[in-house]
Amino acid sequence: MKNKAGKISGFILGAAGFLLMFKMIFLRNIAPSDELAPGVVVITAVLTGVLFAFIGSLVQNYLVKKST
């Protein structure tokens, strides 16, 4: 499980961070009468999570190699 900690934490931080920023920036400026495609928001959150999981994996591998 230790070898997946970077990927899991990166995915959670990436997806949750995107959804938080989306709520704070975009939803505040959109009128309630406008329709949003929730699928696009979810797909973008998942893709952002995957990107951050990759970055977390790289950081974890760098730190493991540096400490040994």
Side-chain angles (χ1 to χ4, degrees):
M1 193 64 177
K2 279 186 174 182
N3 57 353
K4 296 186 190 268
K7 292 178 185 176
I8 293 170
S9 62
F11 182 83
I12 291 171
L13 285 175
F18 172 78
L19 291 175
L20 179 67
M21 293 302 291
F22 184 81
K23 180 180 188 280
M24 291 175 64
I25 294 172
F26 294 109
L27 286 183
R28 181 178 288 176
N29 298 323
I30 295 175
S33 61
D34 289 342
E35 291 186 22
L36 280 171
V40 174
V41 175
V42 172
I43 289 172
T44 308
V46 169
L47 290 177
T48 306
V50 169
L51 176 68
F52 274 80
F54 177 70
I55 293 170
S57 174
L58 290 177
V59 169
Q60 181 182 6
N61 288 338
Y62 175 75
L63 293 176
V64 167
K65 287 179 184 177
K66 188 176 180 181
S67 67
T68 58

